[in-house]
Amino acid sequence: MLWALFFGFAFVILNIPKIEPIWEFFSDCRDYKGQSRYSLFSMSFYAPVSSPVFAPRPFTIPLFYKMVGTDEYRIVIMQKVVYCLCSLLFVRSTLGFIKSSLVRIILAASLFFFFTWWNIVGWSDNLLSESLSMSMMFLWFAAILFFIRKQSLSSLVILAIVGFFFSFTRDTWPYIILFTYLVLFAFFYRRERIMRLRLLGLCLFAVGTFFFQQYTADVGERYKLPVFNSIAERISKNQEYLDWFRQRGMPQADQLVKDFGSIHIDTRPGQAFIYKRYEDSTYTALFNWVVKDGKSVYTTFVITHPAYFFMMDQSAQERARIFSVGDTKYTLREAGFYANAGNVFPLFNSWLILGLLLVLVLIYRQWNPSLHLLFPALICLACIVNVYLSYNADALEVERHLFITQIILEVIGIVSVCSILDAMILRFSKRPPSPLNPA
């Protein structure tokens, strides 16, 4: 049944009537393609230096592009194939914990149907990082479940390798990966010594990956534009915040208020306006300050201003962007079979997810201490960290950076419902016969 569902799913994803070159409108694509042409044996591939016509990126996406010769049409096909394989591995990993045959069918069918949601699939038609980053995320989820199931050295090595390449799809992921591994280490801490040592090794490997990625970001100045975006959008509109930065040496504060005080850069006119500021010399002094001191100053500000970090300075409409769905600025419009999933999802909201997680924790404590029941809670914690980290890291294109939130919630919801159903079937099928109604 699994393979029948998978081949049906793969047929839908890989049935490509026509590839449209929508990537021609995005500068990101040129950067990924340009970096993919560097030699694998050169540090310029892993830690390239920026230039006026090139913005460096983490190396995993350029690596995938290099594997298919940096041909745009082959890249699209490759992204779809990788997506199918990673989805299959995630489904197989979740099924490994489900005992009921009926629930296994429901879970596999639900996940494969969910994976046809255009909110996910649509990105595979463009040459941006989102499609491969999502595929690697599902593969990373599968590796976590595989480790939880096997708890062996080989499963830990697989998790470390997958996490390493997943980390370099986007600069926020190393924080999430390290946080997740620390949670796993804390959970297993009271278990056998060998497991503690293995997880400690995993955490140390993640720390090394984190600092190497930070090094490549510093070399390529990948933080320069996100910090500038956040200062222009959020800091310039709050006098108290602005004074705090001015006291720490930030130049051109008055110019920021003049240009961005009444402009929201996440609107189309605002995006066009800020893109021009990247290219002209208006903010040369501010950009130089960001490169020299601004990153550490902004990090200190975020840490010491919890109201800012927890988005209390943002309106309800602005915060709602963390659950963005169906942003068609970067994808083609859904059609054909893909409209079916679009009529169903999103299915879960944050309150429903919270209720499902509470039920899973109760089942874990009272009925079945199987670690897979805590997996949805683990990725929910990681999702929450990603929301606050991404929102504060870059104030531009928030919907694009956080559309992944609702996708993770749907995964949590589907896996949670099926895990609860399976646990209930397992529990009540093993109930001893009643004296009044013997078996």
Side-chain angles (χ1 to χ4, degrees):
M1 178 59 73
L2 172 66
W3 290 108
L5 291 169
F6 170 70
F7 285 126
F9 161 73
F11 175 79
V12 171
I13 302 301
L14 300 177
N15 183 24
I16 312 170
K18 182 181 179 181
I19 296 177
E20 298 185 26
I22 59 175
W23 54 81
E24 294 179 351
F25 301 100
F26 302 97
S27 61
D28 302 37
C29 171
R30 294 192 295 272
D31 296 329
Y32 287 119
K33 290 194 299 180
Q35 189 168 335
S36 73
R37 294 189 176 98
Y38 292 145
S39 170
L40 284 174
F41 303 101
S42 170
M43 274 303 291
S44 294
F45 180 80
Y46 306 97
V49 178
S50 65
S51 72
V53 295
F54 171 63
R57 308 288 174 166
F59 76 85
T60 297
I61 306 301
L63 178 63
F64 274 103
Y65 286 13
K66 180 180 283 292
M67 291 166 58
V68 292
T70 316
D71 179 88
E72 290 93 341
Y73 293 90
R74 282 188 286 178
I75 289 172
V76 170
I77 296 172
M78 175 270 294
Q79 289 183 148
K80 292 178 181 294
V81 171
V82 170
Y83 176 60
C84 288
L85 294 177
C86 292
S87 299
L88 172 64
L89 290 172
F90 176 69
V91 173
R92 284 183 62 88
S93 295
T94 57
L95 292 179
F97 294 95
I98 303 300
K99 306 301 181 183
S100 167
S101 299
L102 174 61
V103 178
R104 286 171 63 87
I105 295 172
I106 293 173
L107 178 58
S110 298
L111 285 175
F112 280 130
F113 178 68
F114 165 71
F115 285 135
T116 66
W117 191 20
W118 192 247
N119 196 41
I120 309 173
V121 181
W123 293 92
S124 63
D125 289 308
N126 209 338
L127 270 61
L128 301 170
S129 65
E130 279 74 13
S131 178
L132 289 171
S133 182
M134 273 190 292
S135 295
M136 291 298 295
M137 181 187 72
F138 293 131
L139 182 61
W140 184 60
F141 287 168
I144 293 174
L145 283 168
F146 184 64
F147 167 72
I148 290 174
R149 185 181 181 190
K150 297 295 185 179
Q151 298 183 29
S152 63
L153 180 60
S154 59
S155 65
L156 197 71
V157 171
I158 291 172
L159 178 56
I161 293 173
V162 171
F164 177 79
F165 287 100
F166 173 46
S167 176
F168 283 92
T169 62
R170 184 177 170 187
D171 279 328
T172 52
W173 287 132
Y175 296 87
I176 310 306
I177 292 169
L178 179 57
F179 168 80
T180 304
Y181 292 167
L182 289 172
V183 173
L184 284 173
F185 175 76
F187 184 83
F188 281 96
Y189 182 77
R190 294 185 178 275
R191 302 208 171 196
E192 56 269 22
R193 182 172 179 270
I194 187 65
M195 183 58 68
R196 291 201 302 271
L197 291 176
R198 287 175 178 177
L199 282 169
L200 178 60
L202 180 67
C203 291
L204 292 176
F205 181 77
V207 169
T209 301
F210 176 89
F211 281 110
F212 177 59
Q213 189 156 350
Q214 290 302 304
Y215 165 75
T216 66
D218 288 341
V219 170
E221 298 179 356
R222 296 201 297 264
Y223 55 84
K224 183 169 67 174
L225 294 184
V227 171
F228 176 77
N229 294 338
S230 297
I231 291 174
E233 170 64 12
R234 297 179 67 184
I235 302 303
S236 69
K237 295 177 175 59
N238 187 303
Q239 189 61 47
E240 180 184 345
Y241 295 165
L242 199 64
D243 290 340
W244 191 94
F245 276 84
R246 184 187 281 113
Q247 292 167 8
R248 284 153 183 82
M250 187 185 77
Q252 299 188 278
D254 294 335
Q255 183 72 35
L256 279 168
V257 175
K258 177 183 175 181
D259 286 347
F260 295 99
S262 58
I263 290 179
H264 290 285
I265 64 173
D266 236 3
T267 62
R268 287 189 180 273
Q271 288 181 2
F273 182 81
I274 198 169
Y275 291 155
K276 292 179 180 178
R277 301 289 81 78
Y278 296 164
E279 299 169 356
D280 63 29
S281 59
T282 304
Y283 285 100
T284 299
L286 180 55
F287 277 123
N288 291 337
W289 176 81
V290 169
V291 172
K292 182 181 179 181
D293 302 312
K295 178 186 176 184
S296 59
V297 171
Y298 181 72
T299 301
T300 302
F301 172 81
V302 172
I303 293 173
T304 58
H305 291 73
Y308 181 93
F309 178 78
F310 290 108
M311 304 181 287
M312 296 172 65
D313 65 328
Q314 301 289 278
S315 67
Q317 183 178 3
E318 289 170 325
R319 290 194 296 270
R321 293 178 297 173
I322 67 177
F323 301 104
S324 176
V325 171
D327 192 340
T328 57
K329 294 194 294 290
Y330 311 97
T331 66
L332 299 169
R333 293 195 176 275
E334 66 182 16
F337 184 87
Y338 295 110
N340 295 317
N343 292 328
V344 175
F345 301 103
L347 188 60
F348 299 92
N349 60 42
S350 54
W351 290 108
L352 183 55
I353 293 297
L354 178 60
L356 291 172
L357 294 180
L358 289 174
V359 172
L360 282 174
V361 171
L362 287 174
I363 291 174
Y364 173 82
R365 292 180 61 87
Q366 300 296 326
W367 293 355
N368 181 14
S370 177
L371 292 181
H372 82 280
L373 295 172
L374 300 182
F375 170 75
L378 176 64
I379 62 172
C380 184
L381 288 174
C383 180
I384 292 171
V385 174
N386 183 60
V387 164
Y388 287 112
L389 184 65
S390 297
Y391 198 101
N392 288 292
D394 193 345
L396 183 65
E397 297 184 300
V398 173
E399 290 94 339
R400 176 182 173 183
H401 296 150
L402 285 173
F403 79 99
I404 196 74
T405 303
Q406 190 62 49
I407 292 170
I408 296 175
L409 290 184
E410 301 301 319
V411 171
I412 293 172
I414 293 170
V415 173
S416 296
V417 168
C418 290
S419 296
I420 291 170
L421 181 60
D422 183 64
M424 294 180 67
I425 292 174
L426 182 65
R427 170 71 174 181
F428 292 110
S429 65
K430 291 183 177 181
R431 291 183 66 178
S434 168
L436 299 179
N437 187 24

